[in-house]
Amino acid sequence: RYADPRQPLMDWMRQEDNPYFARAFVNRVWAGYFNVGIIDPPDDHNLANPPSNPALLAYLAREFVQQGYDMKWLHRAIAN
C-alpha cells in the first residue's frame, strides 16, 4: 500500500503551533450557527479584516486544540 500523500498536510494543519487551522475551523462552525462569523466573511482571514471579538475567537481556538480537535466539544461550547 502507498502512504496517503495528504498525511503530511494533515500533520502540519493539526500542529499546536499552527494558528490558522483551529481559528478558521472555529470561525466556520460559528458562522454555521449564527450566519455570520467572528471573522466575517468566514473565509477572509487577513489583517485588514479583524475578528469582531478577538478574545472569543482566541479562547475557542485554543480550547478546541486543547480538547484534541473535538468537534462535539466545540459545538457544545458554542451552543451553550
Side-chain angles (χ1 to χ4, degrees), residues 10 14 22 26-27 34-35 47 49 74 77:
M10 286 303 300
R14 294 185 63 194
V26 164
N27 190 57
F34 302 109
N35 292 323
L47 294 176
N49 187 26
L74 180 61

Side-chain angles (χ1 to χ4, degrees), residues 10-47:
M10 286 303 300
D11 292 342
W12 172 77
M13 286 174 56
R14 294 185 63 194
Q15 287 179 351
E16 286 191 31
D17 63 345
N18 176 357
Y20 307 111
F21 176 71
R23 285 174 47 101
F25 194 90
V26 164
N27 190 57
R28 184 67 68 175
V29 172
W30 183 276
Y33 276 100
F34 302 109
N35 292 323
V36 63
I38 300 170
I39 297 174
D40 196 60
D43 57 352
D44 187 11
H45 292 252
N46 69 67
L47 294 176

